[in-house]
Amino acid sequence: YLKTAKLALAFAIIRSKPPGKSCREYAEHLARTVSGKDLGWKSKAAVLEAEVLRLRQELLLYKICPRFCLAREKPDASAETLLDQECVNPAGCSSQLEDSGCDVSNDWAFDSLGTAPDGHQSDHNTSSSISWLERVLPLDLCRSSREESLAAPVRFLQHLLEIKNLSEGGGLQADFTELESDCVTVRHSVSQLLEGLTVFYNSPAFQGSPLLTEAVCALTSLVTDSKLSDHVVKKCFKELEQFERNLIQTILRNSSVNRFQALHAVSHTLVLLGRNHVLRASLLSLLLLEVRQFAEQLLRDLQMQAVCDVTRYENVFPLCMVLEQLLQPEAKEGQVWSSDCDGKVMFLENLDQIVLDLSDEFPLFSLCLWRVSVLLSAAHAQ
């Protein structure tokens, strides 16, 4: 049947081909036309899937806190009452909002740490809940811009954080058990955000943008929030762990000339993720593994008198700095990192000899290895 169909298609193409064009050229033209239609259907399907996710996000927010959503869609008497309650107790709610990374108004900027400039804090505290309640629910996922595609998951996670902050301030009653029953929506939203961030960080012309800062702030606020992370982070742990791997490889593989500002931004994101107790152990394990493997490869190249990969050598230093920043609180506060003893043992095994062998040719990297080993040993001893 397949041979017959192919033969019939060949005869149809030969008989219908226009004059002045060969059968091969006409067949290639038809193939491009059909494939173009397929791409059109795929793009339409992607738009519809995004719309379905948007509706599921709105529905989940409504299930968690109907009053929050209704007050934002239609400011009525109940909304005014809610605003009055929030403005009466700024210490209970607004003080949390100023560092939550949730505000996305155009006149409000965050630095690389996600904190607000001091000069605007007092004005922002009084209007934060008002601007949030007046803001329309997201989400326009049908945009073509790569940057704008991040907006939908960012807004959704920001709304989750805002509901949590308002509920802790006493102005709202929220039922976060709905996150357990509808974890698929949250998982897809987090995955979409992580994929968008990965694309941004791997872009050859990577540049920071306000929306990218918002996305990082929303993600880090989510994973460091104890109440939401119990519902969300554990459901998305594999995606977050893969995101950590992608960021590490982004640092190691970046070979552009002016890459160091971009590497600093990616390194800072790793530090923020590593401050979460759920993600800390996995990130430390990945970092220790990469640094140890590079040290061993560098030692082999030195012994064989092979040429060192200068770009990778320069890129490994941000990983060492991330390790130091994550291990220093552990050594000072006596927090025992017991979830990956094998990773520590593997990293420290014969490390003194490796440092000694590399110290003449690569003194700076040897010093970084030694500093990490000291911090690891101190944390292990405590």
Side-chain angles (χ1 to χ4, degrees):
Y1 175 79
L2 184 59
K3 291 180 179 179
T4 305
K6 288 182 177 180
L7 186 60
L9 178 62
F11 274 108
I13 292 174
I14 293 173
R15 290 180 177 179
S16 62
K17 77 176 184 68
K21 182 176 291 190
S22 67
C23 294
R24 186 182 190 85
E25 292 174 346
Y26 185 52
E28 291 175 350
H29 167 72
L30 293 177
R32 287 193 297 269
T33 303
V34 173
S35 62
K37 291 181 179 179
D38 289 341
L39 292 176
W41 281 110
K42 289 180 181 178
S43 62
K44 290 180 181 179
V47 169
L48 293 176
E49 288 176 357
E51 179 67 14
V52 169
L53 179 60
R54 181 187 70 82
L55 295 174
R56 293 178 67 177
Q57 288 172 341
E58 292 186 14
L59 180 61
L60 179 58
L61 290 175
Y62 181 81
K63 287 180 179 178
I64 294 173
C65 186
R67 186 180 176 190
F68 177 82
C69 299
L70 291 175
R72 290 167 57 256
E73 289 177 355
K74 185 179 180 181
D76 52 10
S78 61
E80 294 174 0
T81 304
L82 177 59
L83 293 176
D84 293 338
Q85 291 175 355
E86 297 304 325
C87 293
V88 167
N89 186 19
C93 174
S94 298
S95 61
Q96 298 171 2
L97 294 178
E98 68 185 38
D99 291 330
S100 66
C102 294
D103 189 83
V104 292
S105 56
N106 293 331
D107 57 347
W108 193 247
F110 289 88
D111 61 12
S112 60
L113 291 174
T115 55
D118 295 334
H120 299 276
Q121 287 182 0
S122 59
D123 297 337
H124 177 65
N125 287 344
T126 57
S127 62
S128 178
S129 57
I130 296 178
S131 62
W132 266 101
L133 291 171
E134 288 178 348
R135 194 168 294 125
V136 181
L137 271 169
L139 308 155
D140 185 6
L141 294 181
C142 305
R143 302 172 182 176
S144 59
S145 172
R146 182 180 58 185
E147 179 174 325
E148 291 175 345
S149 65
L150 277 179
V154 170
R155 302 296 182 268
F156 172 65
L157 297 180
Q158 286 173 333
H159 289 322
L160 280 181
L161 292 164
E162 182 70 8
I163 291 174
K164 179 258 179 186
N165 289 334
L166 292 176
S167 63
E168 286 186 350
L172 288 176
Q173 291 183 352
D175 181 15
F176 288 98
T177 58
E178 293 293 337
L179 291 177
E180 294 286 348
S181 59
D182 196 5
C183 62
V184 175
T185 300
V186 178
R187 192 172 193 174
H188 287 174
S189 301
V190 173
S191 298
Q192 189 180 56
L193 177 59
L194 297 179
E195 290 174 3
L197 287 173
T198 302
V199 170
F200 263 98
Y201 284 132
N202 284 285
S203 174
F206 168 75
Q207 293 180 350
S209 68
L211 182 58
L212 187 61
T213 304
E214 285 183 45
V216 175
C217 290
L219 182 61
T220 53
S221 298
L222 180 71
V223 298
T224 54
D225 188 281
S226 58
K227 186 172 184 179
L228 289 180
S229 63
D230 290 338
H231 296 283
V232 178
V233 176
K234 293 179 181 178
K235 303 289 184 182
C236 310
F237 181 78
K238 291 183 178 179
E239 288 85 353
L240 288 165
E241 193 175 29
Q242 183 60 45
F243 179 59
E244 294 171 349
R245 291 194 183 94
N246 293 338
L247 291 184
I248 292 174
Q249 294 304 317
T250 297
I251 292 176
L252 291 175
R253 295 174 181 175
N254 196 325
S255 59
S256 60
V257 177
N258 301 317
R259 65 184 181 276
F260 296 103
Q261 184 177 1
L263 295 186
H264 175 74
V266 180
S267 302
H268 183 68
T269 302
L270 284 173
V271 172
L272 294 177
L273 292 175
R275 290 175 181 171
N276 177 259
H277 67 282
V278 178
L279 304 176
R280 185 183 186 85
S282 64
L283 180 56
L284 284 172
S285 299
L286 294 171
L287 289 170
L288 290 174
L289 178 63
E290 290 292 343
V291 173
R292 172 71 188 208
Q293 288 180 347
F294 179 79
E296 294 174 350
Q297 181 62 47
L298 194 62
L299 181 59
R300 287 194 295 269
D301 293 342
L302 182 62
Q303 292 171 346
M304 299 175 62
Q305 298 183 349
V307 178
C308 170
D309 187 346
V310 178
T311 299
R312 197 172 182 88
Y313 177 78
E314 292 175 343
N315 292 347
V316 81
F317 285 98
L319 299 186
C320 294
M321 288 188 286
V322 172
L323 270 173
E324 289 191 30
Q325 292 186 55
L326 294 180
L327 289 172
Q328 281 176 354
E330 230 171 54
K332 291 178 181 179
E333 301 171 10
Q335 299 175 1
V336 180
W337 178 38
S338 59
S339 56
D340 187 34
C341 295
D342 293 338
K344 289 184 289 187
V345 172
M346 185 181 300
F347 182 83
L348 295 174
E349 184 179 3
N350 298 327
L351 187 65
D352 291 340
Q353 186 61 45
I354 294 177
V355 171
L356 183 61
D357 294 338
L358 294 175
S359 58
D360 290 338
E361 294 292 332
F362 305 99
L364 183 57
F365 180 62
S366 301
L367 178 62
C368 290
L369 283 179
W370 177 79
R371 287 167 60 91
V372 172
S373 66
V374 170
L375 290 171
L376 264 181
S377 301
H380 182 68
Q382 294 187 9

